[in-house]
Amino acid sequence: MAVYGIDLGTTYSCVARIDDVGRPAVLRNLEGSDTTPSVVYFESSDSVVVGQSAKDAAVLDPEHVVQLVKRDMGHVVPREFHGRTYTPEEISARILRKLVDDAKAFSGDEAHDVVITVPAYFGLAERNATHKAGEIAGLRVLDVVAEPVAAALDYGALEGNEDGGDRAILVYDLGGGTFDTTVLTLRGRELTVLCTDGAKELGGSDFDDRIVMHLVERFRERFPDVADPLSDPLTETQLRRDAEEAKKALSFRERYIVRIMHQGMVEPVELTRDLLEELTRDLVDRTVDITRRTVELAAERGVSAFDDVLLVGGATKMPAVAAALRTLFGFEPRLHNPDLAVACGAALYALDQAAFITSTSALPADGVLDVPETGLTHRSYEITTVASRGYGIKVTDPDTDREYITHLVHANDRLPASVTEDFYTLRDGQRQVQIQVMEQAGAVESEELQHNTVVAQGTLKIPPNKPARWPFQCAFTLGLSGLLTVIATEQETGEQIEISVQIGGLSQEAVDEARVVMSRQRIL
Ligand code: ADP
Ligand code: MG
């Protein structure tokens, strides 16, 4: 059965499937690597390059290269290449296509069914966009699942409570361009993302930058009269490659030598693990601070001890990461193929999904299913989805005139969520109220206007001659598929307005058109 699990990462992506003995296995790309850089190079109107070659083109031909497109998922960020505009979904679709095409070449199977992973903080818009990216790539997306959930499946961290006991797991994910920490709880078969936090601009590439800076400094010291190495795109490309190589090597050995070549000069620079740790200590410290914040939030929500701490993301191979967490938690975090765990877990999840979809009987109470054609059984989980952001309305303080946001649905509230609250008019004789539906914009919920964005609005009529502080009601409903409905009601007249917003998502026509364009391109 060909069902793939795909980790569509910010900097690297990975695809896995279940092998004949029921274990997840990564499928290498045509270049022979387990992971593929999530970089897309629009070489010409009919040829698109994905992966390491695209990454190498980034410094030389930056106008035609897209990196970190995952950060734009769920947002309107059009980019133009060779006379056509591409959405983030379409660019991601090309990464998916390359992964699946290479996987097919390797495994020989025609896979169309996939599970794609997304960060736990991804909101409904981003999840929808990821789903659409899969559709544009011509794949059947069985589901979109949270990365920490997939990682926990691969680590086997969800096993051992078949007797019905509870488990709590902390996932620390330091990737190439992002950092996330997530707490999962498992009660019976019910798996919940209890809370999630992180930094969207902190990852392994910041460690690379520190090494590049150090190398450049050393070169300048040695050759003060030679032009800056970073002024030459070819040198810069090579320095970035070397820095990343050095960082990776230093996870397994103590020293590594980089030869800087620039304008005919060669300068060998020895890097040590100690030096790398010194250059990047503040970066690791930031992740620990955020992890502490997550642990505190989990404690407020009733989880104060963890059965497992899992390391995910390629950058956690740096020994400094586990060392810092050991100090924080007082026990050893688990580290096993951290850059492949998410794809492998997605493959396990995909198998469950495929089994579930093809099974004709209802899911048994213990969640254990037979997987067709394989003789295997798998346990499936009920995954609760939570709101990734807060939603509310703009209100005005009657005494100070200060405008601020009151959130009705909060980040991490379980979906579907329904909340109703009373609000009041400001002035005597006020005939209408503007309902501005707001979405939390930053990582943390905030009352401040600038930390929220307007997603929809409407006007509710108020009957004449009513005094200030005349009440009306707002009911927010946020569904599993991302449909936010706000109903505002004036109770005396029964006057009501309904505002609906689909949080994210391209239209079906846009997806179909994008598929046609992509089918005409060569993806290399
Ligand atoms: P993503 O962030 O896209 O999910 P990964 O989890 O694969 O991607 O993490 C990619 C990051 O991990 C990159 O910065 C890469 O350089 C780094 N990395 C990979 N292997 C190692 C290693 N052996 N030591 C240190 N960092 C590594
Ligand atoms: Mg990742």
Side-chain angles (χ1 to χ4, degrees):
M1 194 164 44
V3 207
Y4 290 163
I6 301 181
D7 172 4
L8 184 60
T10 310
T11 60
Y12 284 88
S13 295
C14 182
V15 53
R17 67 160 179 175
I18 304 300
D19 68 15
D20 301 337
V21 291
R23 289 300 313 154
V26 167
L27 295 159
R28 294 205 168 136
N29 59 24
L30 290 180
E31 293 76 40
S33 307
D34 287 338
T35 59
T36 302
S38 307
V39 186
V40 182
Y41 176 31
F42 288 83
E43 197 178 38
S44 68
S45 59
D46 56 9
S47 160
V48 178
V49 178
V50 177
Q52 187 59 49
S53 315
K55 192 170 169 179
D56 290 338
V59 181
L60 296 169
D61 190 6
E63 278 90 75
H64 293 110
V65 175
V66 187
Q67 307 209 49
L68 310 174
V69 68
K70 191 173 178 177
R71 288 188 181 153
D72 299 333
M73 290 296 265
H75 302 278
V76 180
V77 186
R79 291 181 174 84
E80 200 186 309
F81 303 103
H82 311 291
R84 189 181 180 274
T85 303
Y86 294 87
T87 60
E89 289 90 330
E90 292 183 277
I91 295 167
S92 299
R94 281 151 181 81
I95 301 172
L96 292 169
R97 192 71 255 167
K98 151 87 176 164
L99 293 170
V100 170
D101 282 349
D102 284 13
K104 274 186 197 168
F106 183 82
S107 66
D109 52 33
E110 276 296 311
H112 289 293
D113 292 357
V114 299
V115 164
I116 308 174
T117 60
V118 292
Y121 66 79
F122 254 27
L124 299 157
E126 296 94 326
R127 280 172 181 259
N128 277 337
T130 305
H131 205 286
K132 296 276 157 64
E135 291 171 34
I136 294 168
L139 305 168
R140 188 160 79 119
V141 183
L142 300 178
D143 207 350
V144 169
V145 68
E147 287 159 12
V149 168
L153 277 170
D154 185 53
Y155 268 103
L158 304 178
E159 284 150 31
N161 83 325
E162 284 78 1
D163 56 357
D166 293 356
R167 285 182 71 76
I169 299 144
L170 184 125
V171 180
Y172 171 108
D173 181 348
L174 186 60
T178 50
F179 169 65
D180 306 301
T181 47
T182 306
V183 175
L184 304 174
T185 57
L186 182 65
R187 168 166 292 176
R189 286 197 316 110
E190 194 182 297
L191 183 60
T192 305
V193 175
L194 186 69
C195 54
T196 183
D197 200 345
K200 284 178 193 161
E201 313 252 320
L202 173 62
S205 69
D206 295 300
F207 292 69
D208 304 347
D209 288 347
R210 297 288 169 87
I211 299 176
V212 170
M213 266 154 47
H214 177 79
L215 294 173
V216 168
E217 245 168 62
R218 296 291 301 275
F219 186 88
R220 283 204 196 115
E221 274 164 28
R222 180 82 167 73
F223 302 105
D225 303 327
V226 175
D228 186 338
L230 294 182
S231 63
D232 179 351
L234 272 175
T235 310
E236 187 186 337
T237 305
Q238 195 54 45
L239 277 176
R240 297 215 162 273
R241 240 182 183 235
D242 289 343
E244 188 172 0
E245 276 315 306
K247 175 192 69 177
K248 289 184 183 174
L250 289 172
S251 294
F252 303 103
R253 41 202 267 211
E254 291 294 334
R255 41 195 84 243
Y256 186 88
I257 293 176
V258 174
R259 266 168 243 288
I260 311 175
M261 287 189 272
H262 178 54
Q263 299 221 329
M265 316 291 164
V266 182
E267 172 69 358
V269 177
E270 189 191 59
L271 299 168
T272 63
R273 187 186 295 170
D274 285 347
L275 174 70
L276 173 63
E277 291 182 359
E278 203 178 293
L279 292 172
T280 59
R281 182 155 297 131
D282 61 305
L283 299 174
V284 175
D285 285 349
R286 267 185 72 199
T287 71
V288 172
D289 288 344
I290 294 168
T291 307
R292 197 175 288 122
R293 197 162 83 193
T294 312
V295 169
E296 282 163 11
L297 184 56
E300 279 172 29
R301 296 188 176 163
V303 170
S304 48
F306 298 100
D307 299 286
D308 261 318
V309 175
L310 310 179
L311 297 185
V312 179
T316 61
K317 291 183 192 173
M318 290 184 288
V321 169
L325 292 178
R326 214 175 285 136
T327 315
L328 181 67
F329 290 106
F331 74 88
E332 191 65 37
R334 287 165 66 190
L335 176 71
H336 178 72
N337 288 340
D339 47 350
L340 313 180
V342 170
C344 289
L348 284 167
Y349 183 84
L351 185 66
D352 284 343
Q353 285 300 302
F356 186 61
I357 288 166
T358 50
S359 84
T360 45
S361 52
L363 189 68
D366 61 0
V368 177
L369 282 171
D370 294 325
V371 182
E373 300 164 34
T374 62
L376 303 168
T377 59
H378 263 277
R379 187 158 176 244
S380 79
Y381 301 91
E382 246 167 54
I383 301 175
T384 14
T385 302
V386 295
S388 51
R389 303 221 169 97
Y391 294 90
I393 64 172
K394 186 164 107 181
V395 295
T396 307
D397 185 311
D399 300 324
T400 62
D401 277 349
R402 183 175 85 95
E403 293 187 314
Y404 63 98
I405 310 301
T406 293
H407 292 93
L408 286 87
V409 175
H410 306 278
N412 296 313
D413 279 358
R414 202 166 161 165
L415 299 184
S418 287
V419 185
T420 304
E421 271 182 36
D422 286 330
F423 293 90
Y424 304 91
T425 59
L426 267 180
R427 295 177 308 276
D428 292 337
Q430 187 174 333
R431 293 300 312 279
Q432 57 181 45
V433 279
Q434 270 294 329
I435 313 279
Q436 296 210 20
V437 182
M438 309 293 287
E439 179 180 59
Q440 166 191 342
V444 185
E445 190 173 298
S446 154
E447 287 189 352
E448 303 299 326
L449 295 189
Q450 74 264 29
H451 298 146
N452 294 272
T453 43
V454 185
V455 289
Q457 47 196 334
T459 308
L460 178 69
K461 288 200 204 96
I462 303 291
N465 307 320
K466 297 299 177 195
R469 295 200 47 76
W470 185 255
F472 59 94
Q473 219 174 42
C474 277
F476 272 53
T477 306
L478 182 57
L480 275 169
S481 64
L483 188 68
L484 175 66
T485 310
V486 177
I487 298 176
T489 316
E490 197 291 312
Q491 274 134 317
E492 192 182 78
T493 56
E495 168 88 18
Q496 202 170 62
I497 56 160
E498 181 174 322
I499 311 165
S500 287
V501 226
Q502 175 63 45
I503 306 296
L506 289 180
S507 68
Q508 193 53 49
E509 297 83 77
V511 169
D512 293 341
E513 194 257 347
R515 279 178 75 152
V516 172
V517 171
M518 198 162 113
S519 68
R520 296 204 191 107
Q521 281 174 342
R522 257 180 316 143
I523 313 283
L524 302 169

